[in-house]
Amino acid sequence: MQHINMLNEFKLIINGQSCLGEAGELDIINPATATLAARCAKASIAQVDQAVTAAKAAFKGWQRCSHEERKSILHKIADGIEKHAETLAELIVLEQGKPLALAQMEVQGAIGWTRYTAGLDLPVEIIEDSEQKRIERHYQPLGVVASITPWNWPLMIAVWHIMPALRAGNVVINKPSEFTPLATLKLCEIIQQEVPAGVISIVVGDGEVGEALSSHPDVQKVVFTGSTRTGQHIMSGAVKTLKHLTLELGGNDAGIVLPDADLDQIANRIFDMAFLNGGQTCAALKRLYVHESQYDALAQKLADIANAQVVGDGMAAETTFGPVQNKLQYDKVKALIADAIAQGAKALSGNQMLPEQGYFIAPTILTGLDDACRVVQEEQFGPVLPILKYQSIDDAIARANASEFGLGGSIWSQDLKAAQFYAAQLQCGTVWINTHAEVVPHAAFGGWKMSGIGAEFGLEGLLENTIGQTLHINKN
Ligand code: NAD
């Protein structure tokens, strides 16, 4: 950890000031060692109130800033992230566990997303322009936005929430996951250097702090990324004051490999997209349907790739595969694998030596199971991929769609026309052909069914941070 000064205290930011937590401190655990990595300030509910009051006051000035000014500030924030890139990457490894190269990619993604969002323009629609009258549709900022983020991509997801909200003229209070607040605290410190007091605040704590923030009467919008259950809770807390909501929730994405697929071409990419961040990615490929003619061959190829992974501490140069982020999730994934094996599934991989300490699970390829198995039915959110056999493509599509979730899905084939025909039949917000889980700042991303409401990224994502206002101008 060359760039982290552990003597730094990890403090909250409220009303432009860095401050201690009135609720004491949270222990942050390094998942690679299962030992204490840092202590971080924990906010009280009164501090959540203070942050909202400060945000409300700051909104008055921030919404009047010109678009050009806010664009320029976002670019300065991107410069700040760039300047602290190595520190941010090391903090991500320390608290989240992923290999350093992947954490560095997360930081680069944060910079790219910030710059892209800076460049977006809010449209003004001209609905009528006659001699008598002009009617325009404008998009105004909402006010105080509460951003609640999970532990899998802590920096990236905070950027996805905060930057479009600020760009559109809102003020933001972030609550990071209690498991991974460190990089987000650093991000907010960087943002704070460029914006007036109260425009960005960060309060750290568990679900209680999240609930106080997301149900606060003076919060106009909640953007939440996390589990479906918490999303439902937040939605019910938003009812009283009719808050705007963007919910990016769980997923159980299916991939379907058509019989003509070239296995040598796709095996590595399937592995990468199923085990991205150790499988702890909302839109990772979580169920793979393979035609019976190619089933054994593809399963073996994926197992070979899995067995070649070096599982270990994300800071070690040789590591290609990090730990599960926390003990709860580790226990959950272990139990899902054990349940599948008890039901007759075979683990084709996962035998490599693991470090003795830490929450390590080797990437596990499971075969010989059916769709009723829990590891297929539930979102695993960890390093396991069940491979399921099909005979007819229509049956594979029906099984892929037989999920309460609808985040993403993929079709793998050399025949792009056929792939597109089947892609249109998948019930999910994003469908990939010959890839999976790829997201870009200029294409909207959001879930169907229990995977969410609304979308992020691109103009559509920016507009979710605004409210439409129609302007009628009588010319005489
Ligand atoms: P989680 O729902 O347990 O926690 C997410 C955040 O919500 C944390 O900050 C937590 O403290 C907070 N929280 C908990 N209870 C709350 C409450 N009652 N009110 C307000 N806030 C509360 O999710 P997690 O375990 O951190 O993340 C994993 C989940 O996130 C998975 O289901 C994954 O699919 C999902 N996810 C979705 C996307 C997406 O874009 N769709 C992206 C990443 C992760």
Side-chain angles (χ1 to χ4, degrees):
M1 298 283 163
Q2 289 168 15
H3 298 85
I4 305 177
N5 177 4
M6 293 310 290
L7 295 176
N8 271 355
E9 285 171 316
F10 294 101
K11 291 185 181 164
L12 314 175
I13 298 173
I14 298 173
N15 201 16
Q17 305 294 317
S18 80
C19 48
L20 295 173
E22 286 172 0
E25 286 190 321
L26 272 173
D27 287 349
I28 308 305
I29 303 298
N30 177 349
T33 56
T35 57
L36 187 69
R39 288 208 167 85
C40 157
K42 185 173 182 213
S44 66
I45 303 301
Q47 285 179 306
V48 172
D49 264 332
Q50 288 163 20
V52 176
T53 305
K56 244 177 103 174
F59 179 57
K60 293 192 187 97
W62 184 247
Q63 68 172 329
R64 291 199 195 118
C65 262
S66 71
H67 286 294
E68 288 317 308
E69 219 171 319
R70 286 200 294 263
K71 282 180 178 199
S72 146
I73 288 174
L74 254 65
H75 279 297
K76 284 187 194 151
I77 294 169
D79 295 342
I81 302 174
E82 236 162 28
K83 191 169 150 210
H84 296 283
E86 282 310 308
T87 305
L88 285 163
E90 288 181 9
L91 286 172
I92 293 170
V93 178
L94 183 72
E95 62 184 348
Q96 204 284 328
K98 67 191 61 165
L100 183 62
L102 191 57
Q104 286 164 337
M105 268 176 55
E106 183 169 350
V107 177
Q108 290 310 311
I111 297 164
W113 246 277
T114 303
R115 292 209 191 281
Y116 173 79
T117 308
L120 280 174
D121 285 307
L122 282 171
V124 176
E125 290 166 36
I126 298 165
I127 292 159
E128 183 183 327
D129 196 16
S130 62
E131 242 174 65
Q132 318 294 333
K133 199 168 177 138
R134 185 176 166 93
I135 305 177
E136 298 173 349
R137 180 87 172 149
H138 291 254
Y139 293 92
Q140 305 291 3
L142 285 153
V144 181
V145 172
S147 144
I148 301 191
T149 42
W151 47 256
N152 55 342
W153 294 89
L155 180 77
M156 181 83 107
I157 293 176
V159 161
W160 289 349
H161 289 188
I162 294 169
M163 300 311 165
L166 292 182
R167 171 67 195 86
N170 303 283
V171 293
V172 182
I173 303 167
N174 172 263
K175 193 210 78 69
S177 166
E178 57 274 39
F179 294 112
T180 55
L182 306 180
T184 321
L185 283 165
K186 185 73 195 166
L187 170 72
C188 291
E189 190 187 304
I190 293 166
I191 299 173
Q192 182 55 71
Q193 284 168 16
E194 307 301 338
V195 299
V199 170
I200 184 79
S201 296
I202 177 163
V203 288
V204 181
D206 53 19
E208 208 188 328
V209 172
E211 183 166 342
L213 176 62
S214 59
S215 62
H216 198 291
D218 289 331
V219 163
Q220 275 72 41
K221 173 190 163 93
V222 185
V223 50
F224 169 74
T225 301
S227 64
T228 296
R229 225 170 95 190
T230 309
Q232 289 170 311
H233 204 89
I234 286 174
M235 197 166 174
S236 65
V239 162
K240 222 168 164 184
T241 50
L242 294 182
K243 295 182 200 315
H244 289 231
L245 289 174
T246 302
L247 302 177
E248 297 287 1
L249 309 178
N252 194 2
D253 289 14
I256 300 174
V257 180
L258 299 190
D260 76 315
D262 178 340
L263 302 190
D264 285 328
Q265 228 173 37
I266 65 174
N268 274 306
R269 207 173 310 149
I270 288 180
F271 181 87
D272 288 347
M273 295 317 185
F275 291 95
L276 179 63
N277 198 28
Q280 303 162 109
T281 298
C282 55
L285 202 171
K286 292 176 179 138
R287 302 175 280 154
L288 186 66
Y289 290 91
V290 185
H291 188 258
E292 56 183 354
S293 60
Q294 305 223 68
Y295 184 84
D296 291 331
L298 181 54
Q300 195 51 54
K301 279 183 195 298
L302 290 170
D304 292 345
I305 302 167
N307 283 326
Q309 300 303 309
V310 181
V311 183
D313 189 325
M315 284 311 291
E318 66 277 13
T319 295
T320 61
F321 208 92
V324 173
Q325 197 281 325
N326 62 70
K327 176 79 165 63
L328 262 175
Q329 192 63 23
Y330 169 85
D331 289 341
K332 180 183 155 182
V333 176
K334 287 288 260 192
L336 287 175
I337 295 171
D339 174 76
I341 288 171
Q343 314 250 344
K346 199 167 160 211
L348 291 192
S349 66
N351 297 328
Q352 57 260 69
M353 289 280 289
L354 301 178
E356 274 175 22
Q357 273 188 307
Y359 309 132
F360 292 101
I361 301 175
T364 305
I365 302 290
L366 293 176
T367 56
L369 67 178
D370 63 42
D371 292 14
C373 208
R374 277 183 59 205
V375 78
V376 182
Q377 289 289 314
E378 296 176 23
E379 180 187 33
Q380 320 104 10
F381 216 63
V384 53
L385 179 66
I387 308 193
L388 302 139
K389 200 180 276 185
Y390 75 83
Q391 290 172 328
S392 92
I393 302 175
D394 285 344
D395 175 51
I397 298 275
R399 288 160 68 191
N401 285 337
S403 165
E404 60 174 351
F405 294 113
L407 193 57
S410 57
I411 305 284
W412 302 75
S413 170
Q414 297 184 73
D415 180 346
L416 297 185
K417 222 169 152 193
Q420 222 174 312
F421 173 77
Y422 291 114
Q425 297 173 37
L426 287 178
Q427 296 165 355
C428 49
T430 302
V431 190
W432 292 275
I433 291 173
N434 294 327
T435 186
H436 203 114
E438 280 181 15
V439 288
V440 291
H442 45 289
F445 174 75
W448 292 10
K449 303 197 270 186
M450 299 295 267
S451 290
I453 292 179
E456 293 185 285
F457 315 155
L459 182 60
E460 197 175 329
L462 183 67
L463 288 176
E464 291 229 354
N465 290 280
T466 66
I467 185 157
Q469 184 178 57
T470 305
L471 179 68
H472 289 253
I473 306 165
N474 237 339
K475 292 185 178 173
N476 46 37

